[in-house]
Amino acid sequence: VPGDYAAIAYAVECAAPGDTIVVAAGTYEISDMITVAKSVRITGAGRDKTIITNTATAVVANRTGAVLYLNDPDAVVEGVTLAGGRYSRGGTPASGGWGAYVAAGTLQDARVTNCRGGYANQNDVDGAAVNVNGANARVLRTIIDNNVRVNYYTAVGAGLRIDQGTVSDCLIVNNRGGSGAGVYMAGKDSHLVNCTVAKNRISANQTNYHGGGLYSGISSGSTVENCIFARNSSADGGEGA
C-alpha cells in the first residue's frame, strides 16, 4: 500500500474477509480515520518502521482527527505506530480512542503515541488515546505513550480506557490527563493483565482527581492482575493508582 489515507482505506474497502493487507515501512499521512469493520488483517513492517499519522488540519464534530476504528471480532491490526490522533467534541463513539478505538478485533505489537484529545471544557470526550470497548476487543503487546487529555480537569483518562475487553502485555507510560491518566477502567468485564503502567501523571491543579496510574470504577467480572505500577502521580503528589 503506498502512502495515504485513500490508499489504505481503499485497500480495506476492496479486501475480502480473510485477506491480509501489507503496509510497507514508511510514514503514512492520513486525513481521516481508517475504519476496519471486516475480518481483514493489516500488517505493518514493525511499530518502529510503519507509522500512520493523522495530519487533518480541521478536526470537526466527528472522528476525522482520529486514526483507527477497529470493529470486527476477527480483524487484526499489527506492526504499526498510530500517531497524531486528535479528537474534537461530538461524534460516535464519544468516549475517546482518538489513536485507536477498538470495539471488536485485535490491535497488537503496535504503538499509540502523540495523540491529543479534548475540546473546550466538554465532558463528552472523556477517554484516552486507546479506548477498548467490546466483549471481543483486545489490545496486546502495545506501547501507549506520550498522549495527553487536554482540559483534563473536566474528564478522565489519557493513555488507555477500558470499558469492556482485554488489554494484555502492554506498556502504558508518560501519559498526562485526568483521573486515571495512565489507565481508566470504566465498565464491566474489563481486564488489564501483565501490563506495566509507569510515569503517568495528573497534572491539573485539582486535588480531588486521583489515580495517575490507574483509576477504576471496576464492576462485576473486571480484573487487574500481574501488573506493575511505578512512578505514577497525582497533582497533589498523592497516590499513583
Side-chain angles (χ1 to χ4, degrees):
V1 177
D4 59 12
Y5 163 77
I8 297 174
Y10 183 68
V12 173
E13 180 182 348
C14 293
D19 282 354
T20 296
I21 299 167
V22 177
V23 185
T27 297
Y28 296 78
E29 296 184 349
I30 65 173
S31 57
D32 202 348
M33 181 182 69
I34 295 171
T35 297
V36 182
K38 61 174 71 172
S39 57
V40 299
R41 180 181 293 262
I42 297 177
T43 301
R47 60 178 165 232
D48 297 324
K49 297 180 179 180
T50 299
I51 300 168
I52 302 172
T53 182
N54 196 314
T55 59
T57 56
V59 182
V60 295
N62 55 37
R63 297 188 67 82
T64 57
V67 182
L68 175 69
Y69 183 39
L70 189 59
N71 190 20
D72 186 282
D74 296 317
V76 177
V77 175
E78 61 188 357
V80 299
T81 284
L82 308 173
R86 290 170 294 150
Y87 190 5
S88 181
R89 64 181 295 189
T92 302
S95 58
W98 50 85
Y101 192 103
V102 185
T106 302
L107 176 68
Q108 63 186 21
D109 302 307
R111 181 184 183 194
V112 182
T113 188
N114 194 30
C115 297
R116 189 175 181 90
Y119 178 90
N121 293 329
Q122 301 296 324
N123 285 319
D124 58 0
V125 286
D126 282 3
V130 177
N131 198 156
V132 179
N133 189 8
N136 296 306
R138 298 169 296 276
V139 177
L140 312 175
R141 302 181 301 276
T142 290
I143 299 169
I144 302 169
D145 70 304
N146 294 297
N147 302 290
V148 177
R149 168 56 169 98
V150 297
N151 297 300
Y152 30 75
Y153 48 85
T154 65
V156 297
L160 169 67
R161 173 175 174 140
I162 312 175
D163 289 286
Q164 185 181 23
T166 299
V167 177
S168 179
D169 299 283
C170 292
L171 173 64
I172 301 104
V173 61
N174 286 329
N175 300 288
R176 180 163 54 90
S179 292
V183 180
Y184 178 76
M185 296 182 71
K188 66 179 182 179
D189 297 323
S190 302
H191 306 286
L192 186 72
V193 184
N194 297 335
C195 292
T196 296
V197 182
K199 296 183 179 180
N200 303 285
R201 178 174 172 79
I202 300 170
S203 52
N205 187 24
Q206 299 287 325
T207 58
N208 58 321
Y209 288 85
H210 305 288
L214 170 69
Y215 185 91
S216 177
I218 285 178
S219 59
S220 176
S222 295
T223 57
V224 177
E225 54 184 302
N226 200 34
C227 293
I228 296 171
F229 295 89
R231 299 180 66 186
N232 303 290
S233 60
S234 298
D236 59 359
E239 79 281 1

